[in-house]
Amino acid sequence: MNKSSKTPDTKPADRPVPRPGVLDIAPYVPGRSKATGGSKVYKLSSNETPLGPSPAAVAAYQGVAAKLEIYPDGSAAELRAAIADAYGINASRVICGNGSDDVLALASHVFLGPGDEAIYSKHGFNVYPILIQAAGATPVVAPEKDMTTYVDGILELVTDRTRIVYVANPNNPTGTYLPFSEIRRLHAALPPRVLLVLDAAYSEYVRRNDYESGIELAGTSPNVLMTRTFSKIYGLAGVRLGWGYGPAEVIDAMNRIRGPFNVSAPAMAAGIAALKDRAHLDAAVAHNEEWLPRVTEGIRALGLEVTPSVGNFVLIHFPDEKGRRAADADDYLVSHGIILRAMTSYHLPNALRMTIGSAEANEATIAALRDFLHRTAR
């Protein structure tokens, strides 16, 4: 029997041990999904569309049910072609994944390693630091300005070790965005070796003349990757489907480590059908256009601060007073069947994020917040 070579002071492990750094990663904590009270539950914690998926997408998903023994197309060729047709881009430079976080993870594992650094904004998506650390790299947190990604703050942190800069635009959970002139300024100032990742998960909701999702920049630059998702406006969060678009060399490298069947056949069928149902997409946009300002104004009328948002959610700030803080409001709302998203893990302990829901859900939430504030009034 071969003897293991150990130094005298080395104690053998009695179980598999994660590599150094893994147990230092703070796990992603999702929002609540259940309430403790209320005759009816309104889940407004995960930025899900109140319109649900396109009926055509549901039918396409169900249509695959009789063929579940067949492996899906490992290249997602039909889905990539549908995406390319919908956005006027090159299908060969599209990569699909099990949600856009899968695409983000592929980029992180390809371009980050021990000794590298990656930058993200202070109130940026909590998945970014997880992916950075999972790749063995060091996360670097950039300051924000007025709850918005701050280009100069990012650029001041770029070093010889920087390999990726993540920018969610619009940003989750703040709902703020950068005009594309600022994105281009950021890109122009980054060293060519740095990959700029533009996470445009909520781009379909934005109705601002100075906004772009990043498709053109990703299509013309050697170091820009744009990611998108079917989870939000398309209402397909349950099937897990996302995609990315970027330079041929970047996409090729990501495909080399991508799982051979990382997108299921039902997900691909649903995604293709969803892209074709423009009327459903327009209805989702119209609903958000109506209710985003109504919810914002309704909550501000209660005396609460709301960060200006261009997404399908709002960030609500509570007074730092006993009994009136965000945690108090969260407990009160949950006891009345209303589920918002606590923001402690995003360094916003006195804020809650509210999804723009159905008319009924929105009105019920504003009414419940009014009752909470009146109950706690001095």
Side-chain angles (χ1 to χ4, degrees):
M1 181 182 294
N2 293 332
K3 294 182 179 180
S4 59
S5 57
K6 307 188 294 290
T7 56
D9 59 347
T10 300
K11 182 179 179 180
D14 58 1
R15 62 186 181 279
V17 177
R19 64 170 173 77
V22 169
L23 297 183
D24 296 327
I25 300 173
Y28 182 81
V29 180
R32 299 194 206 200
S33 59
K34 295 182 179 179
T36 58
S39 58
K40 188 170 185 179
V41 174
Y42 301 104
K43 182 175 180 283
L44 303 175
S45 57
S46 300
N47 299 342
E48 298 150 337
T49 171
L51 274 63
S54 159
V58 174
Y61 182 96
Q62 294 171 337
V64 181
K67 301 178 181 179
L68 295 183
E69 77 280 9
I70 306 298
Y71 277 103
D73 172 17
S75 69
E78 189 176 352
L79 174 60
R80 290 188 296 107
I83 292 169
D85 182 62
Y87 292 95
I89 56 180
N90 187 338
S92 69
R93 293 170 59 179
V94 174
I95 185 170
C96 297
N98 184 34
S100 59
D101 47 359
D102 183 28
V103 180
L104 292 166
L106 289 171
S108 301
H109 283 293
V110 166
F111 295 102
L112 293 176
D116 294 335
E117 296 176 348
I119 301 171
Y120 68 100
S121 192
K122 179 179 180 180
H123 301 306
F125 189 26
N126 270 350
V127 164
Y128 302 150
I130 293 174
L131 298 179
I132 296 166
Q133 291 175 281
T138 301
V140 178
V141 183
E144 294 190 0
K145 194 172 185 179
D146 299 325
M147 291 285 179
T148 304
T149 302
Y150 181 37
V151 169
D152 291 325
I154 291 173
L155 293 175
E156 288 177 1
L157 296 173
V158 174
T159 71
D160 291 341
R161 295 184 175 184
T162 305
R163 293 294 178 268
I164 295 181
V165 171
Y166 302 86
V167 175
N169 198 33
N171 186 56
N172 170 33
T174 61
T176 56
Y177 78 103
L178 281 182
F180 213 69
S181 58
E182 281 294 278
I183 295 292
R184 289 187 179 276
R185 184 168 74 86
L186 170 62
H187 174 250
L190 290 175
R193 70 172 185 280
V194 176
L195 179 67
L196 175 59
V197 176
L198 300 176
D199 181 349
Y202 297 91
S203 59
E204 290 89 355
Y205 287 108
V206 186
R207 292 296 178 267
R208 297 291 189 276
N209 292 333
D210 59 352
Y211 174 82
E212 294 178 29
S213 66
I215 284 182
E216 182 179 349
L217 195 61
T220 57
S221 306
N223 63 333
V224 178
L225 172 70
M226 180 204 65
T227 63
R228 303 284 280 268
T229 183
F230 283 86
S231 296
K232 303 307 178 184
I233 203 165
Y234 289 105
L236 295 176
V239 307
R240 310 306 302 127
L241 185 61
W243 58 281
Y245 177 63
E249 295 80 7
V250 169
I251 300 301
D252 173 66
M254 292 167 62
N255 272 319
R256 289 171 185 268
I257 68 165
R258 177 179 59 81
F261 304 105
N262 66 325
V263 179
S264 72
M268 285 191 277
I272 292 167
L275 286 168
K276 294 178 180 179
D277 191 350
R278 185 70 201 187
H280 190 76
L281 181 72
D282 291 343
V285 171
H287 178 84
N288 200 64
E289 279 289 278
E290 176 186 357
W291 280 99
L292 177 62
R294 288 180 65 173
V295 167
T296 300
E297 293 161 10
I299 295 174
R300 284 176 175 166
L302 302 178
L304 296 174
E305 179 187 349
V306 180
T307 299
S309 173
V310 295
N312 68 329
F313 55 89
V314 292
L315 186 66
I316 309 167
H317 303 268
F318 290 80
D320 188 14
E321 302 170 7
K322 184 178 180 180
R324 294 165 64 85
R325 297 184 177 95
D328 303 311
D330 195 23
D331 290 341
Y332 181 84
L333 292 171
V334 168
S335 70
H336 287 73
I338 299 170
I339 309 170
L340 304 192
R341 180 71 151 92
M343 290 284 102
T344 302
S345 62
Y346 283 92
H347 312 291
L348 295 163
N350 209 20
L352 298 176
R353 190 191 65 197
M354 173 188 169
T355 306
I356 302 301
S358 65
E360 181 181 64
N362 297 335
E363 291 170 347
T365 303
I366 293 172
L369 284 170
R370 181 184 299 111
D371 292 342
F372 164 75
L373 294 170
H374 286 170
R375 182 184 64 86
T376 57
R378 294 180 178 179

